[in-house]
Amino acid sequence: MNPATKTPQTTGTMGLLSQLNRVVYRRATEDVIGMKLKQLITLELLVKNEGCLQQELGATLMVDPNNCVLLLNELDDRGYVERRRDPKDRRRHIVVITPAGGKALAKAEARLEALEGEVLVNLDPSEREQLRDLLARAMDGQDGGPDPSCLD
Amino acid sequence: MNPATKTPQTTGTMGLLSQLNRVVYRRATEDVIGMKLKQLITLELLVKNEGCLQQELGATLMVDPNNCVLLLNELDDRGYVERRRDPKDRRRHIVVITPAGGKALAKAEARLEALEGEVLVNLDPSEREQLRDLLARAMDGQDGGPDPSCLD
DNA sequence: CAGATGTCAGACCAACTGATATGC
DNA sequence: CGCATATCAGTTCGTCTGACATCT
């Protein structure tokens, strides 16, 4: 019996993706990059489109609105973000990154890039660029891709 | 070296990796592919090198020995794997996939490939091949790469 | 009032820590 | 006896569900 009748590929792309992501998560701990990886990603997104609505943020990051609150509470406690009421609709919150948040982000990104260098040690620079491009294109148009819908 | 000042890269490679992985995990639920994604990956690995030691399995999958037990218990309960004592060292367990496991894996892989087609809709076949290759090469030599150390 | 947004509290699930049993 | 392997129980962490408050 041959379960993989025609594909002798050792592991599927999704499996490889999951495994490599596990490598990153295992190594990108808080004491290594200075904050949780999820927080770093959140701050990156807030830099990209400053003045993002909280619900848009949650949708882009693919976290439930409830989880989004907790995530922002952590960043708020650290002084990395600020929640302001939307003057146009006072139910909503506009989330902005603070100077302290930007500074912490820059430091964390530097640490993460160093880690990236270790994780992707088998790939030369042009291949890394290729990988980043493919991942970005795959994400594009996904639920949480580089969607400029945060803009007013 | 100032990473933030002149690099307008929207998101780092690691962030993209994490995000795309989240997309997969959100969609590859048990009721979609028939089993947990982690179980699928485990079975794939057991097909690749049949007769793998339990500790080698855990190391490759990057799960603690404790978690490995629970993971195998689930697969064992379903009748997908079998644990046999190693005759050469009866402390050890050799894990093998059962015919039922192979059958379930084939079905789950088909479902996952369909999902992969949806997730990577922005990439044409050659680009998907490229992505799979880059991920495989990045994983190679990592803690849990295609390491043939399971062989005796 | 009905609907939307954000917040919190409690339940739930997955992962980690420590202790136990067996075999070398 | 010391060490290794696997297993389980208890804890902890992250996530999800449901109730509530505010605003339109």
Side-chain angles (χ1 to χ4, degrees):
Chain A
M1 139 99 65
N2 43 6
T5 46
K6 62 170 186 174
T7 48
Q9 62 197 13
T10 54
T11 315
T13 305
M14 297 295 113
L16 287 169
L17 185 72
S18 172
Q19 285 293 91
L20 189 59
N21 182 67
R22 182 175 283 261
V23 172
V24 173
Y25 248 85
R26 293 274 293 186
R27 303 189 57 171
T29 55
E30 189 165 358
D31 57 304
V32 170
I33 64 173
M35 64 177 69
K36 296 178 185 174
L37 184 54
K38 210 177 313 173
Q39 297 174 338
L40 188 153
I41 294 173
T42 303
L43 291 180
E44 276 186 333
L45 201 132
L46 287 177
V47 166
K48 200 176 75 177
N49 24 7
E50 203 161 344
C52 185
L53 291 176
Q54 180 164 331
Q55 57 177 16
E56 296 284 354
L57 183 68
T60 307
L61 294 174
M62 284 170 293
V63 297
D64 309 5
N66 302 339
N67 258 334
C68 194
V69 170
L70 302 179
L71 176 60
L72 289 177
N73 282 349
E74 290 176 358
L75 291 171
D76 200 346
D77 291 344
R78 288 186 172 218
Y80 292 167
V81 301
E82 208 179 290
R83 277 178 274 203
R84 299 174 188 160
R85 288 282 172 194
D86 184 352
K88 293 195 279 292
D89 185 343
R90 298 232 309 280
R91 288 173 300 183
R92 291 174 161 159
H93 274 165
I94 293 176
V95 185
V96 295
I97 186 172
T98 64
K103 200 175 165 188
L105 174 61
K107 191 171 292 186
E109 277 183 323
R111 304 270 182 84
L112 184 59
E113 280 183 26
L115 204 159
E116 179 178 323
E118 299 180 18
V119 171
L120 301 182
V121 67
N122 284 341
L123 305 182
D124 61 51
S126 84
E127 289 173 325
R128 296 181 195 183
E129 175 74 20
Q130 225 174 12
L131 176 62
R132 195 200 59 74
D133 178 58
L134 287 171
L135 290 174
R137 297 245 314 285
M139 278 300 299
D140 196 15
Q142 219 70 238
D143 216 17
D147 186 5
S149 60
C150 275
L151 305 174
D152 264 327
Chain B
M1 46 180 87
N2 39 10
T5 48
K6 65 173 188 177
T7 47
Q9 62 195 14
T10 53
T11 314
T13 306
M14 298 295 113
L16 288 168
L17 185 71
S18 173
Q19 285 294 90
L20 189 59
N21 182 68
R22 180 174 284 261
V23 171
V24 174
Y25 248 85
R26 292 274 293 186
R27 303 190 56 170
T29 56
E30 190 165 356
D31 57 303
V32 171
I33 64 173
M35 65 178 69
K36 294 179 186 173
L37 183 54
K38 210 176 313 173
Q39 298 174 338
L40 188 153
I41 294 173
T42 303
L43 291 181
E44 276 186 332
L45 201 132
L46 287 177
V47 167
K48 201 176 73 177
N49 25 6
E50 202 161 346
C52 186
L53 291 176
Q54 179 164 331
Q55 58 177 17
E56 296 284 353
L57 182 68
T60 307
L61 294 174
M62 284 169 294
V63 296
D64 308 5
N66 302 342
N67 256 333
C68 193
V69 170
L70 302 180
L71 176 60
L72 289 177
N73 282 349
E74 290 176 358
L75 291 171
D76 201 346
D77 291 344
R78 287 186 172 219
Y80 293 166
V81 302
E82 207 179 291
R83 277 178 274 202
R84 300 173 187 160
R85 287 284 172 192
D86 184 351
K88 293 194 280 291
D89 186 343
R90 299 231 309 279
R91 289 172 301 182
R92 290 174 162 158
H93 273 166
I94 293 177
V95 186
V96 295
I97 186 171
T98 65
K103 200 175 166 188
L105 173 61
K107 191 171 291 185
E109 276 183 325
R111 304 270 182 82
L112 184 60
E113 279 182 28
L115 203 160
E116 178 177 322
E118 299 179 19
V119 171
L120 301 183
V121 67
N122 285 340
L123 305 182
D124 61 52
S126 84
E127 288 173 326
R128 295 180 195 183
E129 175 74 19
Q130 225 174 13
L131 176 62
R132 195 200 59 75
D133 179 58
L134 287 171
L135 291 174
R137 297 244 316 285
M139 278 302 299
D140 196 15
Q142 219 71 239
D143 214 18
D147 185 6
S149 60
C150 276
L151 306 174
D152 262 326

